[in-house]
Amino acid sequence: MTSANSSGAAAQNDSSGLASITVLSRIPEFWCDKPRLWFVQTDAILGPQKLSDEAKYNLVVAKLGKEVIQQVSDILLKPLETKKFEALKSRLLQVNEESEIRQFQKLLSEMELGDQKPSQLLRKMKELARDKIPDETLSIMWQGHLPASVRAVLATTDVKNVENLAAIADKIIETSRPQEISEIRANTSSSNDTALILAEIAKLNLRINYLETQKPTFRNRIHNFRRARSRSTSRRRNMSRRTPNSADWLCSYHYRYRNRATKCMEPCAWKKINQEN
């Protein structure tokens, strides 16, 4: 190889190394609480670079902290021959992303407006819903977290699109005086108006839909309970004392304690029954 070619190869390697350093500096540290969004941003940075699978894999590993590294240690110690990046991405999403049930619980009981804009709250709720809840239901739930005055304005508009409603709600909040907003927020928790009731109905509908997916297990439990109850009732009927004049009448001691009874009162058929058995 000539000196010119050697110089060209060295310059190319230096350029490639500088490019990798530049890309690495643009990628943030891994977000354990938002792994899917982190990969969206990372893919947007890596996409135009036309990097190899190995290079993308190494860049992601460089952005993982100690606790995250431990979660994927088996992949790092024995990496695959191909598709390393996709295997690492899949594992990180699997380990760090919340389950659908947990996200469903957060959507039902842990959402609050606080100091954020209505549109910001809506985006968080849509992220938890993951397109599995109709926009109409989600809109009712979202409005249930808004101040009463904002809901009152939204109720008078003909706008149905939830994104457009969020934009209107943002404007209402922005144009309201701080004192009015604080008073509204203070009274929101005790408000029992129609919008809040509808939001609770929407939550109940979501719970019912979830129970529908668990229906076979629920039915089995009901069936087993009824069978056990039927057997218990049957045993009680078979052990009934009937009348004092019947041939199988038992005294109160033997009726209650059976073979553990230490006393007996006439009339009692216990001895006769034992002799027949």
Side-chain angles (χ1 to χ4, degrees), residues 32-33 35-37 92-99 103 130:
C32 295
D33 58 332
R36 191 171 294 273
L37 289 178
L92 289 171
L93 290 176
Q94 177 186 351
V95 172
N96 293 280
E97 205 165 32
E98 291 180 328
S99 66
Q103 293 194 337
R130 290 190 180 181

Side-chain angles (χ1 to χ4, degrees), residues 249 251 264-269 271:
W249 166 264
C251 70
C264 182
M265 295 176 59
E266 295 295 337
C268 180
K271 293 181 179 179

Side-chain angles (χ1 to χ4, degrees), residues 23-138:
V23 171
L24 183 64
S25 64
R26 294 170 57 194
I27 300 175
E29 294 296 318
F30 183 72
W31 303 337
C32 295
D33 58 332
K34 300 289 182 181
R36 191 171 294 273
L37 289 178
W38 185 86
F39 272 108
V40 169
Q41 183 176 25
T42 301
D43 288 339
I45 296 173
L46 298 179
Q49 306 302 320
K50 307 299 181 182
L51 299 174
S52 65
D53 178 67
E54 179 81 20
K56 292 194 293 184
Y57 169 84
N58 290 333
L59 286 172
V60 171
V61 172
K63 291 298 180 177
L64 304 180
K66 179 180 178 181
E67 294 184 0
V68 182
I69 287 286
Q70 292 175 344
Q71 296 169 352
V72 295
S73 58
D74 56 325
I75 294 179
L76 301 182
L77 294 175
K78 294 182 179 180
L80 301 175
E81 294 295 332
T82 59
K83 297 184 178 180
K84 294 181 180 181
F85 173 77
E86 288 301 325
L88 182 59
K89 177 179 178 180
S90 178
R91 172 66 69 81
L92 289 171
L93 290 176
Q94 177 186 351
V95 172
N96 293 280
E97 205 165 32
E98 291 180 328
S99 66
E100 290 186 3
I101 294 178
R102 175 57 186 146
Q103 293 194 337
F104 180 78
Q105 292 173 340
K106 290 177 67 174
L107 184 61
L108 287 179
S109 59
E110 298 182 20
M111 290 288 99
E112 294 182 359
L113 179 60
D115 295 327
Q116 60 189 333
K117 293 182 178 180
S119 58
Q120 292 173 325
L121 174 63
L122 177 62
R123 280 193 289 273
K124 289 182 179 180
M125 296 180 70
K126 294 191 75 170
E127 182 182 346
L128 292 173
R130 290 190 180 181
D131 298 326
K132 294 185 178 181
I133 297 177
D135 281 351
E136 182 178 354
T137 302
L138 190 64

Side-chain angles (χ1 to χ4, degrees), residues 1-270:
M1 180 182 293
T2 64
S3 59
N5 290 335
S6 299
S7 300
Q12 186 176 3
N13 291 335
D14 291 342
S15 177
S16 176
L18 182 60
S20 297
I21 294 174
T22 303
V23 171
L24 183 64
S25 64
R26 294 170 57 194
I27 300 175
E29 294 296 318
F30 183 72
W31 303 337
C32 295
D33 58 332
K34 300 289 182 181
R36 191 171 294 273
L37 289 178
W38 185 86
F39 272 108
V40 169
Q41 183 176 25
T42 301
D43 288 339
I45 296 173
L46 298 179
Q49 306 302 320
K50 307 299 181 182
L51 299 174
S52 65
D53 178 67
E54 179 81 20
K56 292 194 293 184
Y57 169 84
N58 290 333
L59 286 172
V60 171
V61 172
K63 291 298 180 177
L64 304 180
K66 179 180 178 181
E67 294 184 0
V68 182
I69 287 286
Q70 292 175 344
Q71 296 169 352
V72 295
S73 58
D74 56 325
I75 294 179
L76 301 182
L77 294 175
K78 294 182 179 180
L80 301 175
E81 294 295 332
T82 59
K83 297 184 178 180
K84 294 181 180 181
F85 173 77
E86 288 301 325
L88 182 59
K89 177 179 178 180
S90 178
R91 172 66 69 81
L92 289 171
L93 290 176
Q94 177 186 351
V95 172
N96 293 280
E97 205 165 32
E98 291 180 328
S99 66
E100 290 186 3
I101 294 178
R102 175 57 186 146
Q103 293 194 337
F104 180 78
Q105 292 173 340
K106 290 177 67 174
L107 184 61
L108 287 179
S109 59
E110 298 182 20
M111 290 288 99
E112 294 182 359
L113 179 60
D115 295 327
Q116 60 189 333
K117 293 182 178 180
S119 58
Q120 292 173 325
L121 174 63
L122 177 62
R123 280 193 289 273
K124 289 182 179 180
M125 296 180 70
K126 294 191 75 170
E127 182 182 346
L128 292 173
R130 290 190 180 181
D131 298 326
K132 294 185 178 181
I133 297 177
D135 281 351
E136 182 178 354
T137 302
L138 190 64
S139 176
I140 294 173
M141 296 177 64
W142 166 71
Q143 292 186 48
H145 296 291
L146 302 181
S149 63
V150 177
R151 293 199 300 269
V153 175
L154 296 181
T156 62
T157 181
D158 294 330
V159 176
K160 301 299 182 184
N161 182 276
V162 66
E163 297 288 351
N164 294 338
L165 287 173
I168 296 174
D170 284 351
K171 291 295 183 182
I172 298 172
I173 294 292
E174 290 174 2
T175 55
S176 299
R177 290 180 298 181
Q179 183 176 357
E180 292 176 347
I181 294 175
S182 61
E183 291 175 355
I184 290 169
R185 287 176 179 167
N187 295 327
T188 299
S189 59
S190 61
S191 176
N192 293 316
D193 59 9
T194 304
L196 186 57
I197 295 173
L198 290 175
E200 292 301 321
I201 293 174
K203 292 180 181 180
L204 289 175
N205 288 334
L206 289 176
R207 291 192 178 100
I208 292 172
N209 291 338
Y210 174 73
L211 289 176
E212 286 292 326
T213 63
Q214 309 296 320
K215 188 178 291 183
T217 302
F218 180 73
R219 284 179 174 173
N220 289 341
R221 291 176 180 172
I222 294 297
H223 179 67
N224 293 337
F225 171 76
R226 287 176 176 172
R227 287 182 59 188
R229 185 176 181 182
S230 176
R231 287 196 298 267
S232 177
T233 302
S234 178
R235 285 196 298 269
R236 286 198 300 270
R237 287 175 179 171
N238 292 336
M239 294 175 60
S240 63
R241 298 178 68 187
R242 302 187 183 178
T243 64
N245 297 325
S246 62
D248 56 353
W249 166 264
L250 297 177
C251 70
S252 59
Y253 294 108
H254 280 106
Y255 175 72
R256 182 174 182 181
Y257 300 108
R258 316 305 286 178
N259 59 355
R260 292 183 291 107
T262 58
K263 295 182 180 181
C264 182
M265 295 176 59
E266 295 295 337
C268 180
W270 179 256

